[in-house]
Amino acid sequence: MSSRKSKSNNLIHVDCLSQVQRILRERFCHQSPHNNLYGVQVQYKHLIELLKRTAINGESNSVLIIGPRGSGKTMLINHALKELMEIEDVSENILHVHLNGLLQINDKIALKEITRQLNLENVVGDKVFGSFAENLSFLLEALKKGDRTSSCPVIFILDEFDLFAHHKNQTLLYNLFDISQSAQTPVAIVGLTCRLDILELLEKRVKSRFSHRQIHLMNSFGFPQYVKIFKEQLSLPAEFPEKLFAEKWNENVQCLSEDRSVREVLQKHFSVSKSLRSLHMLLMFALNLVTASHPFISATDLMEANQLCSMDSKANIVHGLSVLEICLVIAMKHLNDIYEEEPFNFQMVYNEFQKFVQRKAHSVYNFEKPVVMKAFEHLQQLELIKPMERTSGNSQREYQLMKLLLDNTQIMNALQKYPNCPTDVRQWAASSLSWF
Amino acid sequence: MVYYPTRLKTRQTYSWVGRPLLDRQLHHKTYTEMCVKIGDSTEIHVEVGQFVLIEGKDNENPRVAKLVELFEDVGKVTFPVVALAPDEVVPTDLENEKIFFVKLSWNKEKFRPLSPKLFAELGKLPEGSSKCQKRVRTKPHCLESPSCTPAERVVTRIESKHSAAKSRQTPTHPVTPRARKRLELGSKTPNTRMSQQTSCASSGSLGVSKRKMALSEITSPSKRSQPDKLQTLSPVRKAPEKSGKIRLFGTKDDKKALPEHHMILRTRISALETTEVSGDTTLNPVSGGWRSSEVPSIILKPVIKKRGTKQQESQNEATSTPRRTCRKSSLLTLNRIRQQLRFLGNDKSDKEEEEFLPAAEISDSSNEEEEASTPPHPRRTPRSTSKNLHSSLKSSLQTPSKTPKKTPKPRTPRHATPQIRSRKLAARQPSSALEEARLRLHVSAVPESLPCREQEFQDIYNFVESKLLDHTGGCMYISGVPGTGKTATVHEVIRCLQQAAQTRNVPSFRFIEVNGMKLTEPHQVYVQILEKLTGQKATANHAAEILAKRFRTQGSPQETTVLLVDELDLLWTHKQDVMYNLFDWPTHKEARLVILTIANTMDLPERIMMNRVSSRLGLTRMSFQPYTHSQLQQILVSRLKHLKAFEDDAIQLVARKVAALSGDARRCLDICRRATEICELSHQKPDAPRLVTIAHLMEALDEMFSSSYITAIKNCSMLEQSFLRAILAEFRQSGLEEATFHQIYSQHVTLCRMEGLPYPTMSESMAVCSQLGSCRLLLVEPSRNDLLLRIRLNVNQDDVLYALKE
């Protein structure tokens, strides 16, 4: 739309655009706590009050933040920590320990990590010494020494909390919660998890010691707010150096948010997933289409991005198959139709394929059996077909039972788009029974 | 603490230095300097304004006095002695009266309030209050008269009798009986010769107390040789010449001695005159003030200041030439003390110092007021002159205001044990009733007593006590669901027993606690027990051996050991050797080991233990029942005693709810705590009286116990909801509770077509499926099964339907 204008000051745009892309990509990819929080004010208040009480009053607490992936759990806690550190009295007065269930896969590693992050005495540099048992008693000793009023509060943040619940005996969780429920060093334990049934994972002793505070993040916003978020996420900040460009960019974003086709795209995206992370994905694709000659995001960009997002990955794989492989897939489809989803083996597929070749008497498709076998194996590698049992070395590959991992509709759709698909193959795919 | 060495054996001679200033009205001569000769070699000069250490037995609290005046008494006067109660103020309006006021008594070690007997004896102002401080206002005419009158000798003799040779302390305070005697004597006898009055501010004294110190006069040289030193003078400076402490004798010299002194005096005069002109002038007003017996403090203060300024100027000099001015040195010390205080780092110290300085000044001034023309008038006690004193200074007496504040100061923690660093800012104390309630409701808050567990408490107490008294061992098994106060009760029992042990009602014992959950591995329990028992560190196997030896063989420990094993079930091993050992030890007579074990399940011994283990555990069992609602209510009420933060109905509600759910007291407390928060948030007006109502509690209960599945489903995206619908449809169609993704996908596609939703690609459906799976709304197989993965609902179908309806 503004392409004519843009050509005149192309040079400026190149600079601006790289800046725009840097800013926006940062926004989309990094979970920086500078972003706004959407629709979680109540939860945020609850959390920040809780942490403040720990930091200022020395009250021990434990809380779980629960919400589906991409609902902003980490964002919430990061925001809260940031605000906490901005309070002068608190920033000096607090220690935090970050643990992640995917990194600290057992209590031994977790303990070492805690000791390291707390900078306790058996730490030299980055290394923690002592055996597992020693570390545990050491840490417990350290934490037990403190009391409510004089010790520095420690905030434990356990990301992927549910994975900690799988540790042996839940020793770590028991001890952390036990500290939070006894007059020792004040601690705040914040667990982040996406599992709604997290409490059922906790052992009864551990559960009893947990305070049962839960903060739920649910992505509870509606579509109008979604559009608003879309606008905010795409807008350039006021401190952008090129004021003129920023103004134009933001104007364009405003137009986009009111555009009907854009709203359709967003609606579709919204109906698939409410998480902001998927919105970021969409915007990222759109942003990558911006170039010097096309300096503003357009509605078509967004539509294209949406298409990329909602693309069926398996159909894409099918597009890249050779004709022989396609033929095999079709043969399997027919077998599925005939035997009602019963598993098949290579020999059956080969026979089906041979029938087709003989009918058509096309020498073009007349491949040797080993070649067909090779194609079959390739399909298996692509995981379009899956063996029913674990492949054991001694069983003959031709007779191993397989299942097709493609839906009929997927195959038909893929064939529609398959480039240079021979008509007879297409016909064969359409009507399996007509050959008989 | 530090002992201040005194050179008792050397012979010391005392002489005046400088020209005497004759005060004709008072008939005494004042000097600015005094010379003490120890043996043949050392000469120590003591000047007005310097500090002297007063010898006493109580080395921990040395007293330091500042010399105010050095004088020789020429005349003879009698003074009335007046005892004052501590709360009485020294009358300042008495003009020209020479009264000795006494407030405290000195027994050579401590200042004590005057005894009533003394009051009676003193006869004046016998207010009867035992705590009368006597403040004596003497006519401080102490003359050093060249001629020793018999009376004088009498005094000395008496004194020496009383103060046995061991105490070097001649400066007796008028308050001690002895001192009083002397005083009386002195006042009766016209010729009291030389009395040195020193004013000390001691830690014990109320700050303004004066003591009169009479220096025993030494008439005969022989006497002089046994030093009746009243004060050891410690020089302020580090100057090597003065390194030792100086004993100062307020001496009364013989006539014979006098000329010598004069000579010394004369030799110094020039120097003195030049440097100390101002000193002389300042001194005079002091005595003048006394004479008029007005409030000298007013007069004095400026004087002190003057000195201060002067000394500052000459401070550097003073360090090098120790003899110069005592005043200089005093200032020096002052500075030094100040530095030290600052060095110690606390802000407080500065404040303290400031506070303390004026106090010192005041005391000084009042001292002077009362004692007026005392010769060596120790002054500004707080700042000691000697270096050695520094340490004692810090810890000790000085001005009363100072000592108490100082003690908390050295706070640098030197813990070798691991510790989380302490916070820089003190934790805030609860400011409102709600905050207070929250503090008390925290599980960690230890209540004074455990309500509703009296019976269990008594049983455990009796068990342990009987074992202690019998010097035997035994096991007890305690079970109960979490949060019923098992561990707390045991701790309470132990606390009570420890108190009883202190009062010798039961034999003393050792208490050791291990927790199965706090071990990385069952065998670590040996290591922990051993370490807590003896402090030794050993590997698990070695520790087991040592413990076995300790508990199974003769040569048993002196005291009984009480071992609490929490979370017993975690000590289970395949061979059950840990449990076996634990329960085997108490069966040995020498072990004297009482084991209290705690676990959650009542039938644990039967369920997981082998017969030989459970048989050793014995049948002493106790089970903690979950709290009933009335018990929970009682617990809450006892915690919230005298605190109106909850409505009664609200407490009852939460108690009933929790009792119905689990009877877990922790839960109950947590809910109440959360309710206070909700209450706090909902009331914006800070001044309104806030009470936690039923509504708040209901909200808290909802938050904690309501299942979140329904809200989660309600907040799902459209595609997710339709996927759930497809699952329901598939289940209904197949009649099974499980379906593969492929089946559901085809359902999903048809459903979407029917509802006019955009066609879901398989990738999208798969994403939706795994999303729901990660929330555990669905139970799904690992996604490598792809199309074939089986799906189940983790929620009741009706719940899903209900949630999807709106």
Side-chain angles (χ1 to χ4, degrees), chain B residues 655-697:
Chain B
R656 280 179 187 278
K657 279 269 184 191
V658 173
L661 277 165
S662 60
D664 187 337
R666 292 195 185 107
R667 201 68 325 99
C668 194
L669 295 173
D670 281 334
I671 293 168
C672 290
R673 224 150 52 84
R674 177 68 189 136
T676 60
E677 286 165 24
I678 294 170
C679 173
E680 210 162 59
L681 280 180
S682 61
H683 285 69
Q684 296 308 328
K685 283 173 287 175
D687 48 340
R690 288 180 277 188
L691 270 189
V692 180
T693 61
I694 289 188
H696 296 134
L697 268 171

Side-chain angles (χ1 to χ4, degrees), chain A residues 77-243:
Chain A
I77 183 72
N78 283 347
H79 256 275
L81 282 182
K82 187 173 144 257
E83 191 186 319
L84 211 59
M85 298 314 278
E86 277 166 7
I87 303 172
E88 218 170 295
D89 298 352
V90 173
S91 56
E92 291 275 296
N93 256 336
I94 218 164
L95 295 167
H96 30 115
V97 175
H98 293 260
L99 300 176
N100 191 320
L102 292 169
L103 297 175
Q104 281 77 41
I105 51 167
N106 59 37
D107 284 348
K108 190 175 176 180
I109 301 173
L111 279 179
K112 286 201 171 187
E113 185 63 16
I114 294 173
T115 335
R116 190 185 68 78
Q117 290 191 23
L118 285 179
N119 247 326
L120 291 173
E121 275 157 19
N122 58 349
V123 176
V124 175
D126 264 0
K127 296 247 165 59
V128 180
F129 299 102
S131 68
F132 179 30
E134 278 167 10
N135 278 333
L136 179 68
S137 54
F138 182 85
L139 185 70
L140 291 178
E141 179 90 346
L143 291 171
K144 209 195 263 175
K145 269 275 148 39
D147 63 354
R148 188 182 71 82
T149 45
S150 67
S151 308
C152 189
V154 187
I155 296 182
F156 287 94
I157 294 149
L158 309 179
D159 213 343
E160 309 292 347
F161 182 83
D162 46 317
L163 297 178
F164 286 98
H166 292 131
H167 293 180
K168 189 186 162 225
N169 287 344
Q170 304 189 345
T171 309
L172 181 75
L173 294 185
Y174 177 91
N175 286 310
L176 286 183
F177 285 139
D178 196 50
I179 291 162
S180 85
Q181 300 250 312
S182 54
Q184 301 178 354
T185 303
V187 292
I189 296 151
V190 184
L192 312 180
T193 182
C194 60
R195 288 185 66 163
L196 292 167
D197 62 344
I198 182 67
L199 284 185
E200 291 155 34
L201 292 181
L202 298 179
E203 209 223 1
K204 58 184 184 306
R205 288 173 280 226
V206 182
K207 192 175 168 186
S208 167
R209 282 168 173 79
F210 169 57
S211 73
H212 279 63
R213 284 162 196 271
Q214 301 167 50
I215 298 177
H216 285 279
L217 298 178
M218 289 295 181
N219 285 331
S220 48
F221 43 77
F223 184 63
Q225 213 183 343
Y226 192 72
V227 176
K228 223 169 92 191
I229 294 168
F230 160 79
K231 219 162 62 186
E232 263 177 54
Q233 289 289 305
L234 218 49
S235 303
L236 287 178
E239 59 268 17
F240 191 73
E242 289 289 335
K243 297 281 179 220

